[in-house]
Amino acid sequence: MNEVKEKKKIGLTTRIFIALIAGAIVGIALNMFAADVDFVQNVLVNGIFYVVGQGFIRLMQMLVVPLVFCSLICGATAIGDSKTLGKVGVKIIGFYIFTTMMAVAVALGIGLLIKPGMGLDMSQIQTAEVAASSDSVSFAETLLNIIPKNPIGALANGEMLQVIVFALIVGVILAKLQDKTQLVTNFFQQGNDIMMEMTMMVMGLAPIGVFCLIAKTFAGLGFSAMVPMFKYMGAVLLALFIQCCGVYQILLALLTRLNPLRFLKKFAPVMGFAFSTATSNATIPMNIDTLEEKIGVNRRISSFTIPLGATINMDGTSIMQGVAVVFVAQAFGIQLSPADYLTVIATATLASIGTAGVPSVGLVTLAMVFDSVGLPVAGIGLIMGIDRILDMARTAVNITGDAVCTTIVAHQDGALDKSVFNKN
C-alpha cells in the first residue's frame, strides 16, 4: 500500500516538473512567434491560460484559511503541554525572525556589491503606478492588529496573523481541558482531515494549473524588455541562492549535524512545487508530509510550525525587498545612509511577518519598505514585469526556511528521527 502511495506521489511531482518545463517552452515560443497574433494573445494567453491558471490559484486560496486554522489548532493540541508549546513557539519564532534579518542583510550586501541600478537609463523604462496605502501604521498599532477584535471577521477576511493568534489560543485551551472538550477536539481533527483531503484533490489539478501559469508568464515576457533587468534578477537570485544553500544549510549542519546535501535532495520536490505555484500556503500539506516521511520530523511539531512559517517567515520576500531598495535607489540616483539600511532591515523583517503566502503579495508590502526610507513608490513599476519569475524562486526559499527551522526545533525538542532522514 505504501509503495503504491509513494509511486503516486512521485508521479504527481514528475508531472508538475514536466508541466513547468512544457509551460516555459510554450510561453517562450508564443512570445517569439505569435506576440502580434490577436487570437493567440486574446483567446489563448489572456483567455484560457489566464482563467485556468488563476482558477487554480483561487482554489488554493480557498483552502488557506480553513487549512491553517484547523492545522494550527490540531498542532497546538497535539503538543499538549502548554509549557512545551510555549517553548517550541518561542524557539520557532526566534529562528524565523533571525533568518529573516539574515536574509535582508544578505540582500543588501549583494545589492551593494553588484550595483544593479547603476547606469540604468530611466527614460527607457516604462514605470507603472502601484496602488499602495499612504496611511502609515505605527509599530504599536501593528502589534495591536495581531489581536482579533472579531475572530469570525478575521477568518472571513483572511487576516492570517489574527487567525493564527485565535487558533493558537483555541489549541492551547483544548490541550489544557483534554477529555472535557474531546468532542470539539475531534471536530477540528476531522476538519483538518477534510482540508488535507480537499488539498490533495486540488493538488491533482496542479500540473494543468502550473502549465497555464508558467505559459502565460513566459508569453508576456519579451527578452528585450528583460535586458535592463538582468542585473537586478541576477542579484535577487544570487542572494536567494546564498540564503537557501548557504545560510540555511550552515544552520542545519551546525545545529542538527544532518547532511545538508541529503536534506536538499529529499526536499527538492517541495521546492519545485513551491517554485511553480509561487504560493507558500499551497505547499503546507506537502511540506508537512515530506518532513515526516523523508526528514523524520514528528508531525506534532511540523503541523504547528509549518502553517505558522507560511504566514510569518518570508525570507525570500525580504531578499527581493532588500535588493529592490538598492536597485531603485541607484536607478533614481538617491543616496542611502547606513541608518537607512538598518531601517530597511527592520521594516522588511516586520513587513515579511505580515505578508500573506500568496503570489506577488511582496510587491504590495514593498511599498511600505520604500516609504520607510523615502524611495519613490513608482519605482516598483520597474520590477513588476519580471516579478513573477522571482516570486517563484523566493517562494521556494520561503518554504525551505520553514522546513529548516522546523527541523532544527524538532531536533532540539527530541522530535526528529534521524534514521528516517538517513534512509534512502
Side-chain angles (χ1 to χ4, degrees), residues 97 137-149 161-162 165 350 353:
I97 290 172
V137 181
S138 70
F139 180 67
E141 284 299 316
T142 304
L143 286 177
L144 285 172
N145 286 340
I146 294 172
I147 303 166
K149 290 180 187 174
L161 282 175
Q162 296 185 7
V165 168
L350 279 173
I353 290 171

Side-chain angles (χ1 to χ4, degrees), residues 274 277-284 309-311 313-314 357-358 395 398-399 402:
T277 59
T279 160
S280 303
N281 288 323
T283 65
I284 290 172
T311 304
N313 188 40
M314 297 282 170
V358 292
T395 304
N398 287 342
I399 58 99
D402 298 344

Side-chain angles (χ1 to χ4, degrees), residues 6 9-10 13 17 249 252 258-272 286-287 289-297 399-400 403 407 416-424:
E6 192 68 24
K9 188 175 287 184
I10 291 167
T13 305
F17 275 123
Q249 304 315 318
L252 186 75
L258 295 179
N259 183 333
L261 292 177
R262 183 183 282 265
F263 178 88
L264 285 170
K265 185 180 174 186
K266 290 193 167 207
F267 199 69
V270 189
M271 292 168 75
M286 194 177 183
N287 204 339
D289 282 347
T290 303
L291 283 172
E292 183 181 40
E293 293 168 16
K294 295 184 178 180
I295 310 295
V297 173
I399 58 99
T400 307
T407 305
L416 177 67
D417 186 351
K418 289 191 178 180
S419 64
V420 172
F421 180 82
N422 293 320
K423 192 167 62 180
N424 288 323

Side-chain angles (χ1 to χ4, degrees), residues 55-78:
F56 176 63
I57 292 290
R58 284 195 178 211
L59 280 172
M60 291 190 301
Q61 288 172 327
M62 172 186 78
L63 301 168
V64 170
V65 173
L67 178 66
V68 170
F69 186 61
C70 293
S71 185
L72 274 177
I73 289 175
C74 292
T77 309

Side-chain angles (χ1 to χ4, degrees), residues 177-191:
L177 296 177
Q178 291 184 346
D179 293 343
K180 289 183 186 175
T181 53
Q182 195 58 50
L183 186 68
V184 180
T185 303
N186 290 343
F187 171 77
F188 282 115
Q189 283 173 345
Q190 287 165 0

Side-chain angles (χ1 to χ4, degrees), residues 285-345:
M286 194 177 183
N287 204 339
I288 292 171
D289 282 347
T290 303
L291 283 172
E292 183 181 40
E293 293 168 16
K294 295 184 178 180
I295 310 295
V297 173
N298 193 308
R299 192 177 277 261
R300 74 181 173 85
I301 298 288
S302 60
S303 63
F304 167 63
T305 58
I306 294 299
L308 187 66
T311 304
I312 72 166
N313 188 40
M314 297 282 170
D315 296 353
T317 304
S318 301
I319 283 171
M320 177 275 287
Q321 291 171 345
V323 176
V325 163
V326 178
F327 174 68
V328 171
Q330 290 170 349
F332 281 89
I334 297 168
Q335 290 292 326
L336 295 179
S337 67
D340 287 331
Y341 288 120
L342 288 174
T343 303
V344 169
I345 291 175

